[in-house]
Amino acid sequence: MKARDLRLLPLALAVWGIALLCVLIPEAAWWCAAVGGLVAILVLMLLVRRPRTWVSRLTGGLAVVLLAAAAATALTVGFALPAREQAMSWNGRVVEVTGEITSSASVGRDGRLWFEASTSTLGPPGRASGSSAPVRIGVDPTDGFDLGARIRAVGEASATDAGERSALVVFANDAEVVEPASGVFGVAAALKHAFVERSSLLPEPGAGLLPGLAVGDTRAVSIELNDDMRTSGLSHLTAVSGANCAIVVGGIFWLAALCGAGRALRVVLAVVGLAGFVVLVTPEPSVIRAAVMAAVGMLTLLLGKPSAGAGMLSLCAAGILLVDPWLAATPGFALSVAASGALILLAPPLARGFGRIMPGPVALALAVPFAAQLACGPIIALFAEQQSLIGIAANIIAAPAAPVATVVGLLACLAAPLPGLADLLASSAWLPAAWIATTATTTARLPGAQLLLPAGIGSALLVALVSACIAVVVIRSGPQSRGAATGRGGLIVQRAAAAVLIVVLSLAGARVVLDGPLATATTPEGWAIAACDVGQGDALLVRSATRVALIDTGPAPEPLAACLRSLGIGHIDLLVLTHFDLDHVGGVAAVQGRVGAVLHGPALEEDERRLLADLAASGAQVDEAWAGQRGDLGDAAWRVLWPVRGSAAFPAGNDASVVMEFDGGGVPRSLYLGDLSAAPQRMLLRTARLGHYDVVKVAHHGSADQDAGLYEAVQARVALFSVGADNDYGHPRIETLDLVSTVGARALRTDRQGRILLGTGDSELQVWTEKVAP
């Protein structure tokens, strides 16, 4: 096998390192540019005046190129800094922005439509002055905010952290399209809008996913499906990524070959087709980056010259960073480079390793997602807590459908002027899109579909070690490899890698057993109240005579699902959603389809109503909660104490949180205050007959906005704080801890004690905690 050409790899690493340094520490940009330029000139002068051997000339020439590229990257950052700093000076103020949209729009978890823009004016409303800086703008969802459109927006500005591509984030409360997208961007926008509208007429699953697969429009992808795609390792298909671009390149290359085109013509057609695809789906930096990386990876393989792929990839990465250094700090860029590099360098040896025990086509189909997973895993661990364990299998299952959905969907988009043909093609693309959506939702719900690790360098190093060991074992497996191993050293490396994997698999197997069949082995039988450790959010369980109520679901499904498994709970009889902030409803997917009845606070936004509709569709009876409602949970009784029906004093959200009381049937008398602030707490004290309680769930994770009179009145013996460790809000506040201590309550905190269980026994309140608080 021909050796890989890695001579340009130091160039990419040098440019990447300098770009990362300069965008994270902007003050270093001009110093890096000056030092890099001066040293490059000195080395060049030495080479010219004192020529030596070809080795020294080659080394010196490489040093000059590296230093010059690093200096140029630093200069790019330096020249962009004044405009960025001027934009960031408006932090915390209301501003008016005019500019041109430079990215596609997507709906965020807050319900806003978000897009990037390059400003032309920025300043106080009515007095904005000239500006040229990248900003990110959030507006109310509406049509017309397409790439190339000129917009005007007014809203509160917030400066970003160092390293982020946008200098300013604007939360717009007033936004309008001043001039719609025109020219080629206008045509592309019209085609996409027609395709999205046509796709929306198709049934789910698949209808919302199809525009994302074909043209990168993710506005119709639900939050739940998006989470499932991420869990199953298929998120690279929901928007334009290297995978989509690779499919387009490969499809055009194959069609041209089928028509008898020569290799040169095939390459030209593939490049032209990819360029058109980029324009159609929006030529924003992330799409251009994905297209370049995919084109390099695919063309080196299709041209039969994989040895040159690493060099081309390095050159492209360096060029992209030279133009836009802020990409160096984005996970997407790192994942694109890693996946493309894995396709070029790692997939072929993995395919040969798998090929010793399975047919060649199957080995190649397995090697491609396997290589991408091994290369991207450590990068994901740097930024995210979730590691998909089902990703390889999900990608193999979805692999046959992805090219069909992408190519046929793309043709359906281009055929918009011919409605009959467009309908036929869109309907044909729907089936593979539905296949992918079903694969994501099914695999994401499998036990152990993902592993939770704290994001950071430690987890990244651990995942990198395991990935390297897997690669070594697969590549060197089989008698042929052992016979060709490079002496005793290679055998030692192989055995060490195998030993590491045995240890990891043993620990993972033990974890599976403890989370599965033995999940409830260490759980006390007599618990009646459980505060799950779900981070910065609420998820509390009440149990009486085999009936279970869940009050809020925390910010994400995974921690809640783990807590339910550990307590042996498979069905929720009553789900209470106190209000619709993410830290209270983000984990609903963990109980979807397993809920009997739902009580909820006021739902005003479309995404809130959609969440309730999904719960109803999965079999739950859904009702809005008002003070005075009563019911039973096993042998216990519950009562809704807040909000008051028809009251306009407190708007939907924290101050209209559902407040519940549980009592009897083995459940300690308990009060759950949601996220109420001091003012509604005072009103609650006046309007509800509270009395004394054994347990109170402290409002709003222990924020400082509490009414001392309420806590003095209820005289609770235990105060529960559902709070995340080291959260950014400083919860629980010291004054609130002092307050509950003053009234004689024992403070129990999930951030320090983990999962907390309470019950009654021998007329005493019993407490079990997962950890001993420091």
Side-chain angles (χ1 to χ4, degrees):
M1 183 186 69
K2 189 173 181 180
R4 305 288 181 180
D5 186 352
L6 303 177
R7 288 175 294 180
L8 290 175
L9 184 59
L11 173 65
L13 294 177
V15 172
W16 201 332
I18 290 296
L20 201 57
L21 173 65
C22 292
V23 300
L24 293 178
I25 310 176
E27 299 82 7
W30 289 111
W31 287 102
C32 290
V35 172
L38 288 175
V39 175
I41 292 172
L42 290 175
V43 173
L44 185 60
M45 291 174 62
L46 288 174
L47 286 176
V48 172
R49 292 185 179 184
R50 304 178 68 178
R52 297 184 179 181
T53 65
W54 67 272
V55 176
S56 63
R57 290 197 298 271
L58 181 62
T59 305
L62 178 61
V64 170
V65 172
L66 293 181
L67 290 167
T73 304
L75 280 174
T76 303
V77 176
F79 285 125
L81 284 179
R84 293 177 63 88
E85 291 172 350
Q86 189 270 338
M88 295 173 74
S89 67
W90 294 98
N91 179 41
R93 300 161 68 180
V94 174
V95 299
E96 179 182 84
V97 178
T98 61
E100 183 175 319
I101 297 178
T102 59
S103 75
S104 58
S106 60
V107 179
R109 286 187 175 272
D110 60 356
R112 290 175 177 267
L113 192 68
W114 289 95
F115 52 83
E116 308 282 344
S118 178
T119 64
S120 54
T121 64
L122 173 65
R127 293 181 288 117
S129 57
S131 171
S132 178
V135 297
R136 185 165 176 79
I137 303 175
V139 303
D140 291 333
T142 185
D143 292 332
F145 291 96
D146 303 305
L147 176 76
R150 295 194 60 79
I151 56 99
R152 171 191 164 275
V154 177
E156 185 176 349
S158 176
T160 60
D161 296 328
E164 294 193 32
R165 192 171 184 278
S166 296
L168 203 66
V169 176
V170 179
F171 299 87
N173 49 36
D174 177 25
E176 62 178 339
V177 176
V178 177
E179 182 181 337
S182 58
V184 66
F185 296 136
V187 173
L191 290 174
K192 283 203 296 184
H193 283 302
F195 179 58
V196 170
E197 184 177 351
R198 180 168 282 109
S199 300
S200 66
L201 301 177
L202 297 169
E204 294 289 358
L209 184 61
L210 181 56
L213 291 168
V215 294
D217 193 312
T218 61
R219 283 177 283 187
V221 179
S222 67
I223 292 176
E224 294 77 13
L225 179 57
N226 191 56
D227 290 340
D228 288 341
M229 295 289 284
R230 185 181 297 110
T231 300
S232 60
L234 298 174
S235 58
H236 59 96
L237 297 177
T238 57
V240 176
S241 65
N244 304 76
C245 297
I247 290 170
V248 171
V249 171
I252 296 174
F253 206 87
W254 176 76
L255 286 173
L258 198 63
C259 295
R263 175 167 289 186
L265 181 57
R266 278 180 273 166
V267 170
V268 171
L269 291 175
V271 171
V272 171
L274 181 61
F277 178 69
V278 167
V279 171
L280 177 64
V281 302
T282 303
E284 56 188 325
S286 61
V287 175
I288 295 173
R289 174 205 71 214
V292 171
M293 298 302 173
V296 170
M298 286 298 296
L299 290 176
T300 52
L301 293 179
L302 294 172
L303 294 174
K305 296 181 179 180
S307 60
M312 291 296 297
L313 179 63
S314 300
L315 186 62
C316 289
I320 290 173
L321 289 174
L322 183 61
V323 174
D324 190 351
W326 276 268
L327 287 175
T330 60
F333 179 75
L335 290 171
S336 284
V337 175
S340 300
L343 180 68
I344 295 169
L345 298 175
L346 191 55
L350 285 176
R352 289 192 295 272
F354 287 131
R356 298 186 181 100
I357 57 173
M358 60 183 67
V362 178
L364 182 59
L366 179 61
V368 170
F370 204 79
Q373 186 85 4
L374 294 181
C376 295
I379 300 171
I380 294 173
L382 272 175
F383 302 98
E385 295 182 346
Q386 295 84 14
Q387 285 284 324
S388 177
L389 301 182
I390 201 70
I392 295 172
N395 273 277
I396 292 174
I397 296 172
V404 179
T406 299
V407 174
V408 178
L410 178 59
L411 293 175
C413 180
L414 296 174
L418 304 172
L421 179 60
D423 288 339
L424 176 62
L425 291 171
S427 300
S428 301
W430 170 84
L431 182 60
W435 173 270
I436 294 171
T438 303
T439 299
T441 54
T442 303
T443 56
R445 285 164 174 73
L446 292 175
Q450 64 180 358
L451 175 68
L452 296 179
L453 291 173
I457 295 177
S459 295
L461 292 175
L462 176 61
V463 174
L465 173 63
V466 174
S467 297
C469 291
I470 293 174
V472 168
V473 169
V474 172
I475 292 171
R476 291 182 174 273
S477 64
Q480 297 177 9
S481 180
R482 285 196 293 271
T486 57
R488 187 174 181 82
L491 188 59
I492 292 175
V493 170
Q494 182 180 356
R495 289 179 175 176
V500 170
L501 292 181
I502 290 172
V503 172
V504 170
L505 290 174
S506 299
L507 293 174
R511 177 64 182 271
V512 169
V513 172
L514 290 174
D515 281 349
L518 301 181
T520 60
T522 58
T523 301
E525 286 291 333
W527 72 271
I529 298 173
C532 293
D533 182 11
V534 293
Q536 183 66 12
D538 278 5
L540 298 109
L541 293 151
V542 180
R543 182 181 70 166
S544 176
T546 73
R547 300 290 183 178
V548 177
L550 172 63
I551 303 172
D552 290 328
T553 67
E558 296 79 17
L560 176 61
C563 183
L564 295 176
R565 283 197 304 270
S566 69
L567 297 172
I569 295 186
H571 181 77
I572 302 298
D573 298 282
L574 174 64
L575 172 62
V576 181
L577 300 177
T578 61
H579 60 297
F580 290 90
D581 286 354
L582 181 65
D583 56 335
H584 292 258
V585 301
V588 164
V591 294
Q592 191 88 29
R594 298 190 289 158
V595 176
V598 177
L599 283 176
H600 63 87
L604 302 181
E605 302 296 330
E606 179 60 32
D607 58 333
E608 298 168 359
R609 290 192 288 267
R610 186 166 58 246
L611 184 149
L612 296 173
D614 290 342
L615 286 168
S618 62
Q621 178 183 337
V622 178
D623 292 299
E624 187 167 353
W626 299 104
Q629 290 174 314
R630 297 174 180 268
D632 296 325
L633 181 76
D635 297 330
W638 57 261
R639 179 166 65 114
V640 178
L641 305 177
W642 190 266
V644 178
R645 181 186 290 273
S647 173
F650 301 102
N654 287 354
D655 288 347
S657 294
V658 178
V659 175
M660 298 283 290
E661 169 192 275
F662 285 84
D663 190 18
V667 178
R669 192 160 193 257
S670 47
L671 178 66
Y672 304 85
L673 292 172
D675 275 3
L676 291 193
S677 61
Q681 286 179 28
R682 286 190 288 271
M683 180 68 74
L684 173 68
L685 183 59
R686 289 196 295 268
T687 58
R689 298 188 301 275
L690 295 181
H692 292 178
Y693 291 86
D694 296 305
V695 180
V696 61
K697 199 288 295 185
V698 179
H700 205 181
H701 321 291
S703 73
D705 194 9
Q706 310 285 342
D707 178 52
L710 174 68
Y711 291 90
E712 291 170 358
V714 301
Q715 291 291 305
R717 299 157 65 187
V718 167
L720 287 177
F721 291 86
S722 187
V723 61
D726 301 321
N727 63 84
D728 296 333
Y729 307 97
H731 296 162
R733 299 294 294 271
I734 186 66
E735 49 265 55
T736 304
L737 291 169
D738 290 341
L739 169 62
V740 299
S741 175
T742 300
V743 299
R746 177 186 175 185
L748 298 176
R749 304 166 47 172
T750 57
D751 61 333
R752 294 191 173 186
Q753 292 159 297
R755 186 192 64 191
I756 300 168
L757 304 178
L758 298 103
T760 55
D762 299 328
S763 301
E764 294 291 333
L765 186 62
Q766 297 180 336
V767 178
W768 301 272
T769 61
E770 187 177 15
K771 297 179 286 188
V772 177

